[in-house]
Amino acid sequence: MKWQNLPRWIRDTLSVVGAMAVLLIIYDAFFAKNVNWVLVPIQIVVALLAVGVWSYFSYRSQQKRKLAEEQKQAAAKQRAIDREKRQVEAAKTAAETREKNLARNQAHQQQRHHE
């Protein structure tokens, strides 16, 4: 399986825990006294689980926020389009009303003129 095919949260988890494991082994090998080497793999597995769970939920939360933001932007864009359509329709209606009023006023003026 290729590294790029893995989900991002798994790649992040493996990267972080890999670096932590290397540092843990270096510390235990060179600086710690009375090291229990049986615990090192257990510590690495626990770190994988802890960081993996945190990374998964963090990534999922980011995706939800991103989706919500995209939906918010799409809704705002749709509202702008709807508002523009309403303005065009209102302008068209206003022009028709103006034409009707102008024709009516001219007809009234001609009637008064003939009287």
Side-chain angles (χ1 to χ4, degrees):
M1 176 181 277
K2 291 187 178 181
W3 179 256
Q4 294 299 326
N5 292 343
L6 293 173
R8 182 170 178 171
W9 69 271
I10 292 176
R11 287 183 285 164
D12 291 348
T13 299
L14 293 176
S15 297
V16 169
V17 174
M20 287 172 49
V22 169
L23 291 174
L24 174 68
I25 291 169
I26 290 172
Y27 175 79
D28 284 347
F30 296 107
F31 301 107
K33 297 177 183 168
N34 301 326
V35 177
N36 187 352
W37 289 102
V38 174
L39 292 179
V40 172
I42 295 171
Q43 292 171 328
I44 293 171
V45 169
V46 168
L48 271 172
L49 291 174
V51 173
V53 167
W54 177 82
S55 185
Y56 173 77
F57 286 110
S58 174
Y59 183 74
R60 194 173 77 170
S61 174
Q62 288 174 3
Q63 290 298 96
K64 284 182 180 179
R65 268 187 263 124
K66 184 178 177 183
L67 181 62
E69 184 64 31
E70 288 173 357
Q71 288 174 343
K72 186 177 174 182
Q73 288 176 354
K77 194 174 190 179
Q78 186 61 43
R79 282 192 305 271
I81 290 170
D82 292 344
R83 186 179 328 115
E84 187 176 315
K85 285 180 182 178
R86 284 192 308 270
Q87 288 174 345
V88 167
E89 190 63 35
K92 187 177 178 182
T93 303
E96 290 173 359
T97 303
R98 250 190 322 274
E99 289 292 324
K100 288 178 186 177
N101 289 343
L102 184 60
R104 185 190 66 216
N105 291 343
Q106 286 176 350
H108 283 298
Q109 285 177 354
Q110 287 176 357
Q111 283 179 352
R112 285 188 189 153
H113 207 59
H114 289 302
E115 291 177 359

